[in-house]
Amino acid sequence: MKNAKKIIAFLMALTLLVSTIQMPVMAATTKKATIKTVSIVKPETKTLVLKAKKSYQLKTKVTVNGKISKKVTYKSSNEKVATVSKNGKIKALKKGKTTITVRSKVNKKKKTTLKVIVGTPVKSVKLNKSKVKTQVGKKVKLKATVSPKKSSVKGVKFTSSNKKVATVSKKGVVTCKKAGKVTITATAKDGSAKKAKCTITIKKKKTEPSNKPGTPNKPGTPNKPVTPNKPVTPNKPDDKDDQDNKGDEDNKLSYDGYNLKWEDDFDGDALNEDDWNYEEHAPGWVNSELQAYVKSDQNVYVKDGKLVIQPVKTKNEDGSYSITSGRINTQGKHDFTYGLFEVRAKVPSGKGFLPAFWMMPTDENLYGQWPRCGEIDAMEVMGQETDKVYGTIHYGSPHAEKQGTYTLENGNFADEYHTFSCDWQPGKITWYVDGIKYHETSDWFTAVEGETEVAYPAPFDQPFYMILNLAVGGSWVGYPDDDADYINTQSYSIDYVKVYQKDSYNEDVEKPVNEVIIRDPDANGNYVNNGDFAKTEDLTDDIDWKFLTTLEGEGNAVIKNKAIEIHTDKAGTVDYSIQLVQPSIPAEKGGEYTVTFDAWADEARTMKVDVSAPDRSYKRYLNDTVVDLTTEKQTYTYTYTMTDKPDANARLEFNFGATDSTATVYITNVSIKKTAQKEIDNSKKPLSDGNYIYNGGFQEGKNRLGDWTVTNNCQAVVSVTGLADGKG
């Protein structure tokens, strides 16, 4: 017991001793608290479009290491356009662009930005398909459209609900990888969260039978469809799961209220010359075209219920070649003021072909020679781009135009017949492919520059006749290769032409008023966004910089090292075959603007720079200035004065096509600044004929009384007849 007590006492003493000894203590390793990222979670897009006077609450996220403040600050780069509160609430004030910067309070280097556009948000997104059934290995092309058409940002982002089943490219091409069901969503890029969905059901690939392929049809003798569409009494769209634009009745052609007025089904043995006229013209008559239009049953004939326009290339005695083709019209035989004009046709394939179905006024002198007289192109398809159709009107002086295009998601217009329709009404012209609307316009005029416009809807208020032709080569479509052997093997085949009209039309229409709002430049006075290329961009959308190729141009562009590099693989046939543009460049009347940029190339070469007007048929403000580039970085400066009316949507262009060199071009430090305001002479000048009396013919302006003041103290009825009435 004694020993036990001694042991206990010893242990207690030992414990006391240890507790009094100063032991070294290892310092704890503590990581410094840091801000990892600052991000915006709402909206989910890089750009937000708001209507003026509207507000939007941002939602942000700050990720950290350790315990540290997650508070942020908000700042707008242009508070005249939009402000942002300390809580992240954006208030849109007036049309324009600004950048909202969200920055950490404790680490100002940690930040993110959001581009805000005060303009027109997207109200809806629509896909060309809502449901699709297909097979593994197939591709489906989805096309998204947003409304309204004047939306400030028209791009969408495509996503797949299951990438193992199907993936989707940024252009909407779906690759079907395995059997299953997947939903593809197209979401507006403007922050509106508007979206559309397409459900795709993918089945296993079928085993194809090993049948021997059939004998193809000879060119010029296409098979007549077993049951051709005859929309005299059109059926409603089939209620199928894969029906295009299902539920989108606004974009579908309706024949309600229309009566069939005239048609040609080409069921005879030859062209009916009671309905059609042959045109004969020498090569180069218009548009530098190669063919001669002749009256020949080799070039225009009817066979198997089809009208065929056949180009013929023959070798001359001197070794050169000649090309003939056909052009027919209904002038003086079938002329119409307003109506639904329709052709069912199959086009030829090959570089340089340009088949067309279009209309010209019966009296081309009524409002003045082309383009003042007007022209309606219901259908044009380039032979080297047979999946795309153009619908266009031409008018005004200088020449102006409005154009829309439609690209097939699968196939092309050369492989099978398609229906092309143009609905011309007072104050509105609409284009359709296979009953689906793709373009509409109400904005046109007829006038000589500097003079008052003829009363709207002139020139499209007079009788027009129809034209069918096949051009070979030309200034727009380009030319066949010298050794092209396909000219004699291709043809333009027309199944029918039909014209529908309503019982009556309301011609009391007014021209739409387009408000011009000039946006403010940035803090440095620059109207060019991202001119130093400090930020990378999606060069395919409609925001800031955009890279384009067309007409055999091939290449790409990339932003790096605070410059943009333009790589050209093929220069194409026109200067704009390879193009870098930035839209929405404003210009005030009388403003002097200076364009400045740094540029160089891998070898000495040229490019063209211009500021154009897309809303004014691409009028040139810099006159396609040629820039001589060297391998040394140089600064280039050009100046122009805006003498025209204000333009809120000019476009800065760099054009690299149709040159001898395909050397890479580098551009940076791009700016457009207003450097002066000049007085523009607005004094009344004599008209082109020397007359100081404006609108002496009482056909111009509102109610045809432009430039006249009517004092009416006795309540008299004052009206003016129109030239198209035959009473002018």
Short mmCIF file of all heavy atoms in Angstrom, two decimals, residues 513-532:
data_model
loop_
_atom_site.label_atom_id
_atom_site.label_comp_id
_atom_site.label_asym_id
_atom_site.label_seq_id
_atom_site.Cartn_x
_atom_site.Cartn_y
_atom_site.Cartn_z
N VAL A 513 -42.26 54.37 -90.70
CA VAL A 513 -41.31 55.40 -90.26
C VAL A 513 -40.21 54.72 -89.45
O VAL A 513 -40.48 54.06 -88.45
CB VAL A 513 -42.01 56.48 -89.42
CG1 VAL A 513 -40.99 57.51 -88.93
CG2 VAL A 513 -43.11 57.15 -90.23
N ASN A 514 -38.98 54.88 -89.89
CA ASN A 514 -37.84 54.31 -89.19
C ASN A 514 -37.14 55.40 -88.38
O ASN A 514 -36.53 56.31 -88.93
CB ASN A 514 -36.87 53.68 -90.19
CG ASN A 514 -37.48 52.54 -90.96
OD1 ASN A 514 -38.20 51.72 -90.40
ND2 ASN A 514 -37.22 52.47 -92.26
N GLU A 515 -37.26 55.31 -87.05
CA GLU A 515 -36.62 56.28 -86.18
C GLU A 515 -35.11 56.04 -86.14
O GLU A 515 -34.64 54.92 -85.95
CB GLU A 515 -37.18 56.18 -84.77
CG GLU A 515 -36.66 57.25 -83.82
CD GLU A 515 -37.21 57.11 -82.42
OE1 GLU A 515 -37.92 56.10 -82.15
OE2 GLU A 515 -36.95 58.01 -81.59
N VAL A 516 -34.34 57.09 -86.38
CA VAL A 516 -32.89 57.00 -86.37
C VAL A 516 -32.37 57.50 -85.02
O VAL A 516 -32.54 58.67 -84.68
CB VAL A 516 -32.26 57.82 -87.51
CG1 VAL A 516 -30.74 57.74 -87.46
CG2 VAL A 516 -32.78 57.34 -88.86
N ILE A 517 -31.77 56.61 -84.24
CA ILE A 517 -31.22 56.96 -82.93
C ILE A 517 -29.71 56.77 -82.99
O ILE A 517 -29.22 55.66 -83.15
CB ILE A 517 -31.84 56.12 -81.80
CG1 ILE A 517 -33.36 56.35 -81.76
CG2 ILE A 517 -31.19 56.45 -80.47
CD1 ILE A 517 -34.08 55.50 -80.75
N ILE A 518 -28.99 57.85 -82.88
CA ILE A 518 -27.53 57.82 -82.94
C ILE A 518 -26.98 57.50 -81.55
O ILE A 518 -27.19 58.27 -80.60
CB ILE A 518 -26.96 59.14 -83.45
CG1 ILE A 518 -27.54 59.49 -84.83
CG2 ILE A 518 -25.45 59.10 -83.50
CD1 ILE A 518 -27.20 58.51 -85.91
N ARG A 519 -26.30 56.35 -81.40
CA ARG A 519 -25.74 55.99 -80.10
C ARG A 519 -24.50 56.80 -79.79
O ARG A 519 -23.85 57.36 -80.68
CB ARG A 519 -25.42 54.50 -80.05
CG ARG A 519 -24.27 54.05 -80.95
CD ARG A 519 -23.96 52.58 -80.71
NE ARG A 519 -22.98 52.05 -81.66
CZ ARG A 519 -21.68 52.08 -81.49
NH1 ARG A 519 -21.15 52.63 -80.40
NH2 ARG A 519 -20.87 51.56 -82.41
N ASP A 520 -24.15 56.86 -78.51
CA ASP A 520 -22.96 57.57 -78.07
C ASP A 520 -21.72 56.69 -78.23
O ASP A 520 -21.80 55.46 -78.14
CB ASP A 520 -23.10 57.98 -76.60
CG ASP A 520 -24.21 59.01 -76.38
OD1 ASP A 520 -24.43 59.84 -77.28
OD2 ASP A 520 -24.87 58.95 -75.32
N PRO A 521 -20.57 57.31 -78.46
CA PRO A 521 -19.32 56.53 -78.50
C PRO A 521 -18.88 56.16 -77.10
O PRO A 521 -19.53 56.53 -76.10
CB PRO A 521 -18.35 57.50 -79.16
CG PRO A 521 -18.84 58.86 -78.73
CD PRO A 521 -20.34 58.75 -78.66
N ASP A 522 -17.74 55.46 -76.97
CA ASP A 522 -17.22 55.14 -75.65
C ASP A 522 -16.54 56.37 -75.05
O ASP A 522 -16.57 57.48 -75.64
CB ASP A 522 -16.27 53.94 -75.71
CG ASP A 522 -14.99 54.21 -76.52
OD1 ASP A 522 -14.67 55.39 -76.79
OD2 ASP A 522 -14.30 53.22 -76.88
N ALA A 523 -15.93 56.20 -73.91
CA ALA A 523 -15.34 57.33 -73.19
C ALA A 523 -14.23 58.02 -73.97
O ALA A 523 -13.94 59.20 -73.75
CB ALA A 523 -14.81 56.86 -71.83
N ASN A 524 -13.62 57.29 -74.91
CA ASN A 524 -12.55 57.86 -75.73
C ASN A 524 -13.05 58.42 -77.07
O ASN A 524 -12.25 58.82 -77.91
CB ASN A 524 -11.47 56.80 -76.01
CG ASN A 524 -10.80 56.31 -74.74
OD1 ASN A 524 -10.44 57.11 -73.88
ND2 ASN A 524 -10.65 55.00 -74.62
N GLY A 525 -14.37 58.44 -77.23
CA GLY A 525 -14.94 58.95 -78.47
C GLY A 525 -14.97 57.96 -79.61
O GLY A 525 -15.29 58.32 -80.75
N ASN A 526 -14.67 56.69 -79.34
CA ASN A 526 -14.59 55.66 -80.37
C ASN A 526 -15.93 54.97 -80.53
O ASN A 526 -16.53 54.50 -79.57
CB ASN A 526 -13.50 54.65 -80.00
CG ASN A 526 -13.19 53.68 -81.14
OD1 ASN A 526 -13.71 53.80 -82.24
ND2 ASN A 526 -12.33 52.71 -80.85
N TYR A 527 -16.39 54.87 -81.78
CA TYR A 527 -17.63 54.16 -82.07
C TYR A 527 -17.41 52.67 -82.34
O TYR A 527 -18.38 51.92 -82.47
CB TYR A 527 -18.32 54.79 -83.28
CG TYR A 527 -19.00 56.11 -82.97
CD1 TYR A 527 -18.39 57.31 -83.33
CD2 TYR A 527 -20.22 56.15 -82.32
CE1 TYR A 527 -19.00 58.52 -83.05
CE2 TYR A 527 -20.83 57.37 -82.03
CZ TYR A 527 -20.22 58.54 -82.40
OH TYR A 527 -20.83 59.74 -82.11
N VAL A 528 -16.17 52.22 -82.44
CA VAL A 528 -15.86 50.82 -82.70
C VAL A 528 -15.71 50.08 -81.38
O VAL A 528 -14.93 50.47 -80.51
CB VAL A 528 -14.57 50.68 -83.53
CG1 VAL A 528 -14.22 49.21 -83.73
CG2 VAL A 528 -14.74 51.37 -84.88
N ASN A 529 -16.45 49.00 -81.21
CA ASN A 529 -16.36 48.18 -80.01
C ASN A 529 -15.24 47.16 -80.14
O ASN A 529 -15.08 46.54 -81.21
CB ASN A 529 -17.68 47.47 -79.74
CG ASN A 529 -18.81 48.44 -79.44
OD1 ASN A 529 -18.65 49.38 -78.67
ND2 ASN A 529 -19.97 48.23 -80.07
N ASN A 530 -14.47 47.00 -79.07
CA ASN A 530 -13.37 46.04 -79.05
C ASN A 530 -12.40 46.29 -80.20
O ASN A 530 -11.89 45.37 -80.83
CB ASN A 530 -13.90 44.60 -79.09
CG ASN A 530 -12.86 43.57 -78.66
OD1 ASN A 530 -11.94 43.88 -77.90
ND2 ASN A 530 -13.00 42.35 -79.14
N GLY A 531 -12.13 47.57 -80.43
CA GLY A 531 -11.23 47.91 -81.53
C GLY A 531 -9.79 47.50 -81.30
O GLY A 531 -9.02 47.35 -82.25
N ASP A 532 -9.40 47.30 -80.03
CA ASP A 532 -8.05 46.83 -79.72
C ASP A 532 -7.97 45.32 -79.60
O ASP A 532 -6.91 44.79 -79.30
CB ASP A 532 -7.53 47.48 -78.44
CG ASP A 532 -8.41 47.19 -77.22
OD1 ASP A 532 -9.45 46.50 -77.38
OD2 ASP A 532 -8.07 47.64 -76.11
#
